[in-house]
Amino acid sequence: MSATAKIESLETIVSLAKRRGFIFPSSEIYGGLSSCYDYGPLGSELKRNIKNSWWRSMVTLRDDVVGLDASIIMHPKVWEASGHVSNFSDPLVVCEKCALRVRADHLDQQTDKCPKSETKKHVWGEPRNFNLMFKTHLGPAEDSASVVYLRPETAQGIFVNYLNVIDSTRVKIPFGIAQQGKSFRNEITTRRFTFRTCEFEQMEMEFFCVPETDEEWYQYWRKTRLDWFLSLGVEPERLRLRDHAADELAHYSKACTDIEYLFPFGWSELEGIANRTDFDLKQHALHSGKKIVWRDQVTNQEFVPYVIEPALGTDRALITFLIDAYNEEEIDGNKRVVLKLHPRLAPTKVAVFPLLRKDGHPEKAEEIYRMVREVYAAEYDDSGNIGRRYRRHDEAGTPLCVTIDHQTFEDETVTLRDRDTLEQRRVKVSALLPTIQEQFGF
Ligand code: GAP
């Protein structure tokens, strides 16, 4: 049986994201800005949790990867050396009637009618290459000497710090350097929400290895990265690995695999895992005049390491997790929308409710809420009836809800309600934190 997308239209997620404060159009009071978005209270927590889960698995729990946080604006020579000044472009076509600009390789997705043509058909000109890097000036003089770029990938910050890292740490080959941060590309976007934007975040890791071992590490990272999505609950049937054909490869890579997800608009790239060979280190050695090698401590042999790079877009990961977690269910004749987000990703882990707004319930609930939030992101919620509060937290992806009621004052127990199974059980207040920990596994 072939897989189907979790939701039919991206619109479902766009409206949930706006309604519940995950993602808003940027500068909305001024009419919004094309392809720019802001993360709201729930969205910023979700994004932080995704970044933390990535960092935990890629850096914290590994002995062979260290972190880095490089500057967005780098020396302009970096982008000459990396090939971005000459190669980082998309073929662009412009409609001769209405001046609409579209990526030549995305023409098949173009469904708009031309408002200026009698036949309503666009009249496309010849494709032209259009460099995707955002240019700006460093300092007050706006001349060619002050031109700098906003980085189009975080990877180069890692390559130019290779010598700094090996000189200041005890890393031994093979090892990786990981980084998260903003990247910028002047993309012709395809109105797919945050799937492709001009300002986005990346989580990238460059893994430096002995040249002859590159294939082995390439295979290792393909599997490890796919497993990461599975470990966070993404449905296996909506994930696949797709190897690039030779004519799809970026100018720096020998092989590349995309981890693809089945979005409502079809299978599309979620993450890329590339074998970048020794291209970048050699280019930076050439352009900087520095010796950039690895020296084997035993044999004194020098070589330029090969690099395997898993590169993921944080924003793209975020809509993937939102889409995949989205469920509409019917309970007792009522529809519920529930985000079955993995507990590690859920913006709020535990919601605490007083059953009544009197009889000491609020005070007791507040006390328990304060205890829980020391350990887990928690929310106190006393508005509307309990059913409404459950629905609200189902839609926000909160895995557990705790209710304080009359019985709490008799036997020091609370009701613990599970978002996914809807099971409700009574738990001693003193056992609440260990019970949550047992369920979450953290
Ligand atoms: N350093 C390699 C590199 O940047 P890429 O395939 O161009 O490779 C890696 O980007 C990942 O970054 C993509 O798989 C995607 O998740 C994300 N990404 C790239 N361009 C993006 C954009 N314009 N908007 C959102 N995410 C983007």
Side-chain angles (χ1 to χ4, degrees), residues 224-330:
T224 304
R225 292 303 308 147
L226 182 68
D227 287 349
W228 183 76
F229 289 104
L230 297 172
S231 75
L232 289 171
V234 179
E235 273 297 322
E237 76 217 33
R238 284 189 285 275
L239 284 171
R240 73 177 187 193
L241 291 168
R242 188 184 68 81
D243 293 332
H244 280 207
D247 62 355
E248 279 181 273
L249 293 174
H251 62 274
Y252 49 74
S253 70
K254 166 178 157 185
C256 186
T257 301
D258 284 345
I259 299 179
E260 292 191 333
Y261 179 75
L262 184 52
F263 289 95
F265 45 83
W267 288 101
S268 301
E269 174 185 349
L270 174 55
E271 168 161 355
I273 296 110
N275 181 343
R276 292 184 79 126
T277 70
D278 52 7
F279 176 86
D280 300 272
L281 291 183
K282 277 191 168 159
Q283 283 295 106
H284 288 302
L286 192 69
H287 286 252
S288 67
K290 297 278 187 298
K291 185 171 168 183
I292 308 183
V293 294
W294 178 266
R295 189 162 56 82
D296 187 292
Q297 306 244 305
V298 181
T299 63
N300 265 342
Q301 221 189 345
E302 289 180 343
F303 60 88
V304 182
Y306 264 43
V307 172
I308 308 301
E309 172 198 71
L312 171 62
T314 315
D315 312 79
R316 210 172 275 187
L318 191 146
I319 46 164
T320 302
F321 286 122
L322 273 185
I323 293 170
D324 211 67
Y326 185 89
N327 287 279
E328 286 177 14
E329 295 175 356
E330 206 173 287

